[in-house]
């Protein structure tokens, strides 16, 4: 690889596609995850997670809410 062929990663940003966000996150070590969203061309709410209880998923969701409200 020559110096002109180096790949420069700019890191996460607020205009990432879902695929970019998942690819970026897949390079980190996670203990538990929950993925929430909508499939393309589908209005159904989709939740996928690693092995976790509903109580722990709710705890994550409440922390997400605080983060979004800029209170965490």
């Amino acid at each position: 690889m020559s110096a002109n062929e180096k790949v420069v990663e700019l890191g996460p940003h607020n205009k990432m596609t879902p695929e970019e966000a998942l690819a970026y996150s897949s390079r980190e070590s996670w203990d538990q995850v929950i993925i929430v969203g909508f499939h393309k061309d589908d209005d159904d709410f989709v939740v996928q997670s690693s092995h976790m209880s509903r109580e722990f998923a709710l705890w994550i969701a409440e922390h997400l809410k605080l983060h979004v409200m800029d209170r965490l």
Side-chain angles (χ1 to χ4, degrees):
M1 180 182 294
S2 72
N4 293 334
E5 296 175 342
K6 286 186 179 179
V7 174
V8 176
E9 182 175 74
L10 301 176
H13 53 86
N14 62 359
K15 296 198 185 268
M16 289 194 299
T17 65
E19 293 79 12
E20 290 171 329
L22 290 169
Y24 185 83
S25 297
S26 71
R27 291 181 240 146
E28 298 180 12
S29 293
W30 296 94
D31 183 45
Q32 296 186 50
V33 297
I34 187 165
I35 301 165
V36 179
F38 297 92
H39 286 145
K40 196 172 197 170
D41 302 322
D42 193 353
D43 291 337
D44 291 336
F45 182 69
V46 179
V47 177
Q48 297 179 1
S49 67
S50 60
H51 183 72
M52 71 174 64
S53 67
R54 289 181 181 259
E55 292 85 3
F56 190 72
L58 178 59
W59 183 84
I60 290 175
E62 290 296 331
H63 273 73
L64 172 62
K65 180 180 173 182
L66 292 172
H67 175 76
V68 169
M69 295 170 53
D70 200 23
R71 296 183 187 238
L72 187 61

